Amino acid sequence: MPRALVTGGAGFLGSHMCDRLLAEGYEVVVFDNLLTGSADNLSHLANEPRFSWENTDVSNGLSFPGEVDVIYHMASPASPVDFATKAVEILRVNGVGTYNALELAKAKGARFLITSTSEVYGDPLVHPQTEDYWGNVNPIGTRGCYDEAKRYGEAMTIAYRRYHGVDAKIVRIFNTYGERMRLSDGRVVPNFVGQALRGDPITVYGTGQQTRSFCYVSDLLEGIFRLATSEHAGPMNCGNPTERTMLEFAQEIKRLTGSASEIVYEPLPTADDPKQRRPDITRMKEWVNWEPVVSLEEGLTRTIAYFKGKIDAGAK
Ligand code: UDP
């Protein structure tokens, strides 16, 4: 039975990765310190004999007994709200944590995949973003802790590939949403959906003309799994090119929730907020024969039902 280690496996994307790997016949071990993840995301696996998890911080060292075939290094806070309060942890887990995970991959002869981000392109001057674009990042801006941490993590990954022959891969994740996102996460999908469901004002930041392209979680996981099991190293964009302005997005969520909430404008929390973002997914199509199949309406409908369940159960 192949054995996988998922760092950050109690997080939104990490926990879905665990489900996917278990369905593929893997034994799965998770390391997570629950900084932004939640044990609730793994509670449905409590009776799964091929699954185990440990509360540990991969930035403090990684000891793993026995064999491991593949390491998915997914541990990192990822919401812009976390950039203000968890900057050092973000830099550490993508720097030292990535180093620790790559050392483990080298020692065990394991494959390695780091979940990087569209934030490596910063506030992009090339649109849509192709993988060969180097980006437009302010290293000392409010998003710098995340953008530079992931850029450093990519550089570390490539160094281990080049100099140590580790079969190390990079995927760049664009905005993704779905079940198990934290309601209080601060990102636009939980914010807008939570506000719409409660009848609170929907807070559009800035003019609302900035764009994002949203991918449903199962589509993203399919792309990542295909890259991990392919002969390609990346970097490969993974996302859905369906682009919306934030104002259009607020209107869409209002419609899908049937909410009477008013849309209000608030100042942009950061001057570095990217003005536009859309993945060029040519590589994803050509390399791993994949493109998203879940429409925004369908994905949002499922996500709204999930958040409604949480709110009805008393979640804040
Ligand atoms: N945003 C917004 N209202 C909110 C939360 C976010 O208008 O309540 C905007 C934010 O300014 C950004 C976009 O939505 O332009 C996406 O923000 P998010 O925090 O989800 O992730 P980002 O793509 O910026 O990392």
Side-chain angles (χ1 to χ4, degrees):
M1 195 190 317
R3 200 160 180 230
L5 168 64
V6 181
T7 76
F12 162 46
L13 296 180
S15 64
H16 284 282
M17 192 76 236
C18 294
D19 291 341
R20 181 60 209 260
L21 290 167
L22 288 164
E24 294 287 337
Y26 285 73
E27 180 185 341
V28 177
V29 179
V30 161
F31 284 174
D32 198 303
N33 68 348
L34 303 186
L35 181 63
T36 53
S38 163
D40 283 352
N41 290 337
L42 300 173
S43 56
H44 62 292
L45 300 175
N47 297 320
E48 170 54 65
R50 289 180 291 121
F51 177 78
S52 62
W53 82 275
E54 212 176 290
N55 187 336
T56 184
D57 185 344
V58 296
S59 302
N60 290 340
L62 252 181
S63 116
F64 191 88
E67 295 302 308
V68 57
D69 300 287
V70 58
I71 299 170
Y72 287 84
H73 183 41
M74 305 180 77
S76 178
S79 169
V81 170
D82 298 325
F83 303 168
T85 55
K86 300 180 179 69
V88 175
E89 288 91 337
I90 291 169
L91 285 155
R92 283 194 79 224
V93 75
N94 288 292
V96 189
T98 301
Y99 167 75
N100 290 339
L102 279 161
E103 275 291 300
L104 185 71
K106 185 175 110 191
K108 304 276 184 182
R111 273 194 169 184
F112 174 93
L113 178 141
I114 185 170
T115 46
S116 183
T117 170
S118 55
E119 285 280 334
V120 298
Y121 304 123
D123 188 1
L125 305 176
V126 166
H127 192 74
Q129 291 79 57
T130 48
E131 289 88 347
D132 54 11
Y133 175 49
W134 291 356
N136 175 38
V137 170
N138 175 4
I140 58 165
T142 46
R143 301 172 82 105
C145 61
Y146 186 67
D147 302 9
E148 294 295 4
K150 288 291 186 185
R151 289 164 72 97
Y152 183 87
E154 287 199 9
M156 183 82 79
T157 302
I158 282 297
Y160 270 73
R161 186 172 182 90
R162 286 193 187 130
Y163 305 119
H164 293 305
V166 174
D167 187 4
K169 297 157 184 273
I170 298 167
V171 65
R172 293 181 180 153
I173 297 176
F174 283 66
N175 293 69
T176 302
Y177 66 97
E179 294 88 337
R180 300 190 197 144
M181 272 190 122
R182 295 171 299 172
L183 192 55
S184 58
D185 178 276
R187 277 180 282 189
V188 70
V189 173
N191 270 16
F192 282 4
V193 173
Q195 290 159 347
L197 288 174
R198 294 189 185 102
D200 293 340
I202 299 176
T203 54
V204 169
Y205 298 158
T207 61
Q209 292 310 304
Q210 70 273 36
T211 69
R212 295 292 186 273
S213 308
F214 293 98
C215 186
Y216 184 64
V217 61
S218 59
D219 278 337
L220 183 91
L221 266 290
E222 184 63 36
I224 295 178
F225 184 75
R226 287 191 188 207
L227 178 70
T229 50
S230 77
E231 75 277 21
H232 295 287
M236 185 187 89
N237 289 339
C238 202
N240 186 327
T242 307
E243 187 178 3
R244 295 279 187 281
T245 69
M246 289 310 95
L247 180 58
E248 288 165 345
F249 196 53
Q251 287 159 345
E252 203 144 352
I253 286 179
K254 207 175 136 153
R255 180 177 67 81
L256 290 172
T257 50
S259 172
S261 291
E262 60 169 331
I263 293 175
V264 298
Y265 293 89
E266 289 192 356
L268 274 177
T270 150
D272 298 337
D273 199 288
K275 289 178 234 3
Q276 52 183 2
R277 184 182 291 154
R278 170 157 54 103
D280 180 307
I281 60 165
T282 309
R283 267 193 196 173
M284 186 158 79
K285 284 188 197 157
E286 287 179 358
W287 283 5
V288 301
N289 189 27
W290 181 244
E291 59 187 311
V293 294
V294 180
S295 69
L296 189 60
E297 176 154 348
E298 188 183 344
L300 280 176
T301 302
R302 289 186 209 167
T303 308
I304 289 165
Y306 171 79
F307 282 129
K308 186 166 184 325
K310 289 277 166 196
I311 289 171
D312 289 348
K316 296 269 177 277

